[in-house]
Amino acid sequence: SAPKHTSTMRGKNGVGRLTFYTFAQNAEWDTCFEAKGKKLSGSILISGLELNRYEPRSLTPSPDRPSGTTVSFSNFKISSATVEAEIIPYLKMEFCWFLELNSHKDFQININGNPLDYSDKIVDCEAEPEIRYEPSETVFKIKYVQWTESLHKEFSKNYFLNGARNEVYKDFTSFNKKGDNFYHSLYIQSDFFDDFDFNSEENSGQISVFSKVKSSPEYKFIVKKVNQLLHEKRKKYLKVFASRLVETYEQAVKIAREQHCPVLV
């Protein structure tokens, strides 16, 4: 399975790829990959009526195709209204953080030919193009995103990206699961994380073969900056959150009095 501190996605026990039959009759995997210096493509078609049988198509040379895999579903068992009202909102909160993490790779989830647009799930977004740790001239870039809803099982996390903008580590933020609906993601990118030992403990005296560890002044610097940013963002959010709670309470009291219900104060 994928390591806990990375976002690599895999099905569990081979079950996930065959559960399409709950919402569609057919599924087709079309893939292109490189093997021994040659691009090959092929596809597999599976029917929900016969999950143990599949129709593979022979691999063919495809030198001009980009590498990747597309999964297509057909003969849906759910209505378009259900897709709009339930499926699409669910997909937004399931994958928004992941699509944001890989935005530079042009990752997309297409539904009926249209890319999944999760912009309506963003409350606040701020990017710091450059934060410099002067003593070593180390440059960091930070992007902060606050979400309207819970990110399901992902929670609020810091994502660390190396110079090539690939994720190398992730962990919970200091304001994760505070119970105030402050859902957020932090993306921290720097060449500093190219050869970084994220398994090191900040206060550990253990010697590491890596020169860059959690006790490094650069790491402590950027973590402090991130926590300061989150503190300020959360403080502003809590003012709005508290105001909305008061409005909700006042409205509930008004309705209760109109209906001659007892009001607990």
Side-chain angles (χ1 to χ4, degrees):
S1 61
K4 179 181 178 181
H5 291 289
T6 62
S7 300
T8 305
M9 292 187 174
R10 295 182 183 176
K12 185 177 180 181
N13 302 326
V15 175
R17 72 193 64 177
L18 297 180
T19 55
F20 70 87
Y21 72 88
T22 60
F23 63 87
Q25 184 172 324
N26 301 312
E28 182 174 10
W29 284 259
D30 182 60
T31 187
C32 182
F33 61 95
E34 187 170 333
K36 296 181 179 180
K38 295 182 179 180
K39 284 282 192 70
L40 300 173
S41 65
S43 64
I44 295 176
L45 178 65
I46 300 180
S47 170
L49 301 177
E50 299 178 289
L51 292 175
N52 294 325
R53 296 182 60 187
Y54 59 91
E55 299 178 19
R57 295 177 184 171
S58 301
L59 295 175
T60 58
S62 305
D64 298 326
R65 275 191 58 176
S67 299
T69 300
T70 300
V71 184
S72 302
F73 305 104
S74 58
N75 295 327
F76 273 66
K77 300 177 183 180
I78 53 179
S79 67
S80 58
T82 300
V83 171
E84 290 291 334
E86 299 180 25
I87 304 301
I88 291 180
Y90 178 86
L91 291 176
K92 287 181 179 181
M93 298 318 301
E94 184 73 15
F95 293 107
C96 59
W97 65 270
F98 182 80
L99 293 172
E100 194 68 33
L101 174 65
N102 295 283
S103 59
H104 60 287
K105 298 179 181 179
D106 295 324
F107 279 19
Q108 291 183 345
I109 295 176
N110 292 303
I111 302 174
N112 294 327
N114 299 315
L116 184 70
D117 180 9
Y118 55 87
S119 59
D120 61 321
K121 299 301 182 181
I122 296 177
V123 176
D124 187 15
C125 180
E126 182 176 323
E128 289 283 350
E130 183 175 300
I131 297 178
R132 186 178 297 271
Y133 178 70
E134 296 294 347
S136 62
E137 292 295 310
T138 303
V139 175
F140 298 91
K141 297 178 181 179
I142 296 177
K143 186 172 185 179
Y144 160 84
V145 182
Q146 183 184 346
W147 310 101
T148 60
E149 302 172 40
S150 166
L151 298 174
H152 297 171
K153 295 181 180 180
E154 182 62 13
F155 304 118
S156 295
K157 293 185 178 180
N158 291 320
Y159 301 90
F160 297 88
L161 296 83
N162 61 19
R165 300 176 69 185
N166 293 320
E167 180 201 39
V168 291
Y169 193 79
K170 69 177 179 179
D171 209 347
F172 298 110
T173 73
S174 56
F175 292 99
N176 178 64
K177 296 181 70 175
K178 290 293 185 180
D180 52 20
N181 300 335
F182 182 55
Y183 309 114
H184 55 278
S185 300
L186 265 295
Y187 305 93
I188 310 160
Q189 188 258 321
S190 176
D191 294 344
F192 180 71
F193 299 124
D194 286 356
D195 298 297
F196 191 94
D197 182 12
F198 280 100
N199 293 317
S200 65
E201 294 299 327
E202 188 170 333
N203 299 317
S204 173
Q206 184 177 356
I207 299 175
S208 173
V209 297
F210 296 90
S211 61
K212 294 179 287 189
V213 293
K214 289 183 178 179
S215 58
S216 301
E218 293 90 345
Y219 181 78
K220 292 182 177 180
F221 165 81
I222 197 60
V223 168
K224 182 178 179 180
K225 287 289 185 181
V226 165
N227 287 337
Q228 287 175 343
L229 172 64
L230 280 177
H231 177 76
E232 291 300 318
K233 291 291 186 181
R234 183 170 179 263
K235 185 166 66 173
K236 292 179 181 179
Y237 165 74
L238 287 180
K239 290 181 179 180
V240 178
F241 181 71
S243 176
R244 289 175 179 171
L245 278 180
V246 171
E247 290 178 4
T248 301
Y249 174 75
E250 291 176 344
Q251 185 65 21
V253 170
K254 179 181 178 181
I255 294 174
R257 286 174 174 166
E258 289 176 349
Q259 298 177 351
H260 305 289
C261 296
V263 178
L264 299 178
V265 179

